[in-house]
Amino acid sequence: MDQGAHHHHHHMSVSIDTTGGDRFPQWSIQETREFLMIRAELDQTFMETKRNKLLWEVIATKMKEKGYNRSAEQCKCKWKNLVTRYKGCETMEPEALRQQFPFYNELQAIFAARMQRMLWSEAEGGAGGSRKKAGHFSSEDEEENEESDGDKGTGRKKKKIKGHTSTTSGGGSSSGGNINNLREILEDFLKQQMQIEMQWQEAYEAREKERTMKEMEWRKAMQSLENERIMMDRRWREREEQRRMREEARAEKRDALITALLNKLRREENM
């Protein structure tokens, strides 16, 4: 954002330095440690607000209180350098680290705390899982029972029919009405066949319908899981948005306060 900021440094009215960025007197170990303590305290605020310029001013002011004369810009540059060096340390052995970069632990603590805060806020935002829906899937293992289930209806009917046909065929011994009898038997038989056929058809359709219903239920369950996920996502985003708005409002108040404080400080300095 403001890489070129430290070139036109003389515009800023806070401090009296004439040199740019880090080319001021060397930072001592002690000074850097104090600086990192101040920066660590304000890290949450840094993460929450977009307007960091003021925060670096606050840090410069706090450094002055401790007796170090650093401009906001110098503090910012120092921080950037420290972070770059910290990131460069990732491949190094622990022993070499301590000699090479004495502030490793301080920076690690800052970033660990930052991570922790992110995890916390996510945990608070995204709670309330979707375990209610698991019940839908227990009905999948009913497929096996369906075969025997479908036959129950038709099985009894078949037996009845067999009995029926055997009795009629027994009565057809009189030679006179033989043909008529046979026709009757045949018609009867066909009628029975049709009935059986229809019952089979019905049973098949019922089973098919049940299968389709189950499938639809399952799809619906999947869909509602998906919808729930989308809803949770949306809710989380809305909550994030609200949190951001609250933070920005808070940040604006804070900025106004800081500005007032800085002006007061400047007035006192110039008295």
Side-chain angles (χ1 to χ4, degrees), residues 106-121:
E106 281 94 334
L107 276 134
Q108 198 178 28
I110 290 174
F111 289 119
R114 192 181 285 184
M115 196 63 193
Q116 192 60 49
R117 285 196 307 270
M118 273 167 62
L119 291 173
W120 268 112
S121 70

Side-chain angles (χ1 to χ4, degrees), residues 11 29 33-34 61 63 72 83 85 128 144 156 159 165 169 192 232 263-264:
H11 291 323
I29 298 262
R33 286 230 150 84
E34 300 262 14
T61 307
M63 289 292 280
V83 171
R85 284 184 64 191
E144 283 90 327
R156 283 194 304 278
K159 288 192 188 80
T165 40
S169 59
Q192 300 288 7
M232 274 176 62
N263 289 339
K264 195 170 157 221

Side-chain angles (χ1 to χ4, degrees), residues 15-56:
S15 65
I16 338 101
D17 79 86
T18 46
T19 49
D22 249 340
R23 294 189 296 282
F24 207 53
Q26 199 58 46
W27 289 64
S28 71
I29 298 262
Q30 185 53 36
E31 181 182 11
T32 309
R33 286 230 150 84
E34 300 262 14
F35 167 70
L36 281 172
M37 272 168 67
I38 295 170
R39 179 61 183 71
E41 276 170 18
L42 283 168
D43 189 64
Q44 185 165 2
T45 315
F46 266 92
M47 297 322 292
E48 285 168 356
T49 177
K50 308 225 173 7
R51 293 174 295 278
N52 288 346
K53 208 184 173 86
L54 267 169
L55 284 176
W56 288 113

Side-chain angles (χ1 to χ4, degrees), residues 29 32-33 36-37 40 78-79 81-113:
I29 298 262
T32 309
R33 286 230 150 84
L36 281 172
M37 272 168 67
K78 184 63 176 171
W79 172 250
N81 291 348
L82 287 168
V83 171
T84 307
R85 284 184 64 191
Y86 170 73
K87 285 187 176 155
C89 286
E90 275 161 15
T91 51
M92 275 159 60
E93 291 299 308
E95 275 321 302
L97 258 179
R98 274 176 207 96
Q99 278 121 38
Q100 284 288 307
F101 188 52
F103 311 109
Y104 185 84
N105 291 345
E106 281 94 334
L107 276 134
Q108 198 178 28
I110 290 174
F111 289 119

Side-chain angles (χ1 to χ4, degrees), residues 240-269:
E240 273 303 274
E241 187 57 29
Q242 286 167 356
R243 199 179 61 80
R244 214 176 47 70
M245 308 242 299
R246 276 205 304 274
E247 286 308 349
E248 292 217 327
R250 210 175 294 161
E252 264 161 34
K253 264 188 215 151
R254 195 163 40 215
D255 286 356
L257 243 165
I258 291 166
T259 311
L261 269 169
L262 281 171
N263 289 339
K264 195 170 157 221
L265 272 168
R266 284 191 200 128
R267 276 202 301 279
E268 282 169 13
E269 268 178 37

